[in-house]
Amino acid sequence: MLISATFSKPSKVVEEKLGKAYLKVRIWKNPSPSAVSSNAYISESFTEKQSFTKNLSKDDAEKFVEENAGTTFKNCVKRTETEEITYLANRRGEVKKLVKKLSVPVSFKTNKEKNYILKEGIPVPFLIELGVMTKEGKIVSSRYDKFRQINRFLEFIDDILGDVKKLCCGDGDFNGDRPLRMVDFGSGKSYLTFAAYYFLSEIKKIPCEVFGLDLKKDVIEHCANLARKYGYSNLNFAVGDIAKYSGETSPDIIVTLHACDTATDYALKYAVEHNTKAILSVPCCQHEINSQIGKNTVEGNSPLAIFMRHGILRERFAALATDAIRAELLEENGYAVQLMEFIDMEGTPKNLLIRAVKKQSSNGAVKKSSAKDSILNVLGVKQTLNDIL
């Protein structure tokens, strides 16, 4: 039985076949016990700026995998109860199929080896509402990756709380007059936003204000209604563009999970300008440099020329270069920066996390960056990568 399928690396025919220029599609088994045959599966399709969700029957879900794995999308990872099947297509259209037998579902096995912050068996209202947990507190099998991802991010938040408290309160504590303030830029369906609020207010008992910002009005309205339903009075949401956001109070922590391309840079720019004490950012779709370089932009005798000859290497090189420059600029603006693995590649291919904490000696003044300022300026690349190599 199909448990889930994730499609990535769209081919040139994706818009012709599916009606929109989707970058990624995910299909998973509907966790609702009351799901009928017509909505046995849920699909979520992502364009550059939007996501679209719909229900599928079992036949429709299996047909979509059969027709699009390795063709419409060059990469596909399909999971059943006993196998993990990976489809990989090359430039000639040849599809390679890799089959990995699973004696125990990987996500089950991994979860039982780790003591998570949000524990299985203890019902968490918002996780039940979002389809990650059953009412009994059991993790839905097709949502284990999301459960692990949420817990991993909470671990990163937990790691920085001591430093943030010292930077904000000295030897004191957060209180009703001075709560911990966190903003989630590009909050989407807000799994992480709800988890962070629950972790800070219910588990750590820290007075806090958590805010989620996203472009999708319908998603934000749903999240706001959910927050009201559970009485999360200090958890708020708004529709807005990260590039144009101007909050009334400066956040102590800014998080971004897969904010696409320069949306990450707008979030980092906002953090630097508002003297944010800590940043946790998992970048996504670093297109800005990649769009400016090609296989002919580096001289043939340059040691970097070999990275430009193949699209997949050029893409990965551009992503690493982008995040390296982001880290350097944050260092220059008074942050101690670490680049870390967010979660293993099985959970998400976008698994690099930028963790930046304001240095104790920093007075909050934004320093003028070095020559790299003319390249990234914390907000998008202004020159081709070739100009700095």
Side-chain angles (χ1 to χ4, degrees):
M1 177 189 292
L2 176 66
I3 299 297
S4 66
T6 301
F7 301 81
S8 58
K9 299 284 184 185
S11 68
K12 294 179 181 179
V13 301
V14 64
E15 188 168 4
E16 178 184 342
K17 289 190 68 175
L18 302 181
K20 292 184 183 294
Y22 293 120
L23 301 176
K24 181 179 178 181
V25 174
R26 290 186 67 249
I27 295 175
W28 65 93
K29 198 170 186 305
N30 194 332
S32 172
S34 61
V36 296
S37 59
S38 60
N39 62 354
Y41 288 82
I42 300 170
S43 77
E44 187 170 19
S45 306
F46 300 86
T47 63
E48 187 172 351
K49 294 184 178 181
Q50 292 180 292
S51 67
F52 302 87
T53 303
K54 66 178 181 180
N55 294 321
L56 299 174
S57 67
K58 180 176 181 293
D59 289 343
D60 286 341
E62 291 177 344
K63 183 180 178 181
F64 188 93
V65 174
E66 181 182 346
E67 293 181 349
N68 296 286
T71 53
T72 314
F73 293 89
K74 297 177 183 178
N75 288 7
C76 173
V77 178
K78 170 186 172 182
R79 290 187 178 87
T80 69
E81 292 173 319
T82 58
E83 294 179 329
E84 178 181 282
I85 305 166
T86 302
Y87 300 84
L88 300 170
N90 61 24
R91 287 179 295 178
R92 296 184 295 277
E94 299 168 341
V95 180
K96 188 174 183 180
K97 184 177 176 182
L98 306 175
V99 179
K100 177 182 175 183
K101 296 291 183 181
L102 303 175
S103 56
V104 178
V106 174
S107 50
F108 279 89
K109 181 170 62 179
T110 304
N111 180 64
K112 292 183 183 298
E113 293 171 354
K114 189 168 180 65
N115 183 25
Y116 286 118
I117 290 175
L118 301 181
K119 302 181 187 301
E120 183 173 8
I122 301 176
V124 179
F126 73 89
L127 287 181
I128 296 171
E129 189 81 25
L130 294 171
V132 177
M133 269 186 178
T134 66
K135 292 180 180 179
E136 294 74 32
K138 182 179 179 181
I139 308 304
V140 176
S141 60
S142 61
R143 307 300 281 159
Y144 257 100
D145 286 347
K146 179 61 69 176
F147 179 71
R148 292 168 56 226
Q149 186 186 80
I150 290 169
N151 273 286
R152 181 60 173 151
F153 217 103
L154 292 183
E155 290 173 8
F156 283 115
I157 293 175
D158 195 28
D159 287 343
I160 63 173
L161 282 179
D163 289 326
V164 172
K165 187 179 82 166
K166 188 170 183 179
L167 287 164
C168 294
C169 308
D171 295 329
D173 292 310
F174 292 108
N175 54 55
D177 294 327
R178 179 47 174 104
L180 172 64
R181 302 183 180 98
M182 191 186 94
V183 172
D184 183 358
F185 282 125
S187 55
K189 292 186 176 180
S190 302
Y191 294 92
L192 174 60
T193 327
F194 277 96
Y197 183 83
Y198 183 87
F199 170 62
L200 292 171
S201 63
E202 301 294 328
I203 296 177
K204 302 296 286 188
K205 304 298 181 183
I206 297 174
C208 63
E209 295 175 353
V210 178
F211 179 77
L213 183 78
D214 200 272
L215 288 169
K216 298 182 281 292
K217 183 179 179 181
D218 56 336
V219 174
I220 287 297
E221 288 178 349
H222 174 71
C223 293
N225 290 335
L226 197 58
R228 285 192 291 269
K229 175 180 178 179
Y230 292 114
Y232 296 163
S233 57
N234 288 324
L235 173 59
N236 294 288
F237 297 90
V239 177
D241 188 341
I242 298 172
K244 301 174 182 177
Y245 176 72
S246 58
E248 294 181 3
T249 55
S250 296
D252 304 311
I253 301 173
I254 281 179
V255 302
T256 71
L257 180 59
H258 298 157
C260 190
D261 199 17
T262 53
T264 294
D265 298 303
Y266 281 110
L268 298 183
K269 177 178 182 287
Y270 184 90
V272 169
E273 290 178 342
H274 290 78
N275 194 30
T276 298
K277 304 303 184 287
I279 304 163
L280 295 172
S281 176
V282 180
C284 182
C285 307
Q286 299 93 328
H287 295 312
E288 187 70 22
I289 286 182
N290 192 35
S291 66
Q292 297 185 44
I293 62 177
K295 59 184 178 182
N296 298 319
T297 60
V298 177
E299 297 294 333
N301 59 357
S302 167
L304 292 171
I306 59 173
F307 293 104
M308 304 300 135
R309 292 174 190 155
H310 305 281
I312 189 170
L313 294 180
R314 188 166 64 248
E315 178 185 342
R316 293 180 182 178
F317 177 84
L320 291 172
T322 302
D323 291 332
I325 295 171
R326 287 167 173 161
E328 187 71 12
L329 285 166
L330 288 171
E331 286 276 1
E332 292 177 1
N333 283 280
Y335 288 87
V337 182
Q338 293 175 290
L339 298 184
M340 310 173 73
E341 184 180 72
F342 168 40
I343 199 166
D344 59 60
M345 291 291 285
E346 179 188 321
T348 171
K350 305 295 184 180
N351 74 331
L352 186 147
L353 179 136
I354 301 173
R355 181 168 75 180
V357 179
K358 202 75 176 176
K359 295 175 183 176
Q360 297 285 345
S361 59
S362 176
N363 62 6
V366 177
K367 302 176 185 178
K368 181 173 177 57
S369 294
S370 68
K372 294 185 186 66
D373 226 7
S374 63
I375 304 156
L376 190 68
N377 197 26
V378 192
L379 178 57
V381 179
K382 304 301 182 185
Q383 301 177 15
T384 65
L385 185 62
N386 191 44
D387 291 338
I388 60 168
L389 299 179

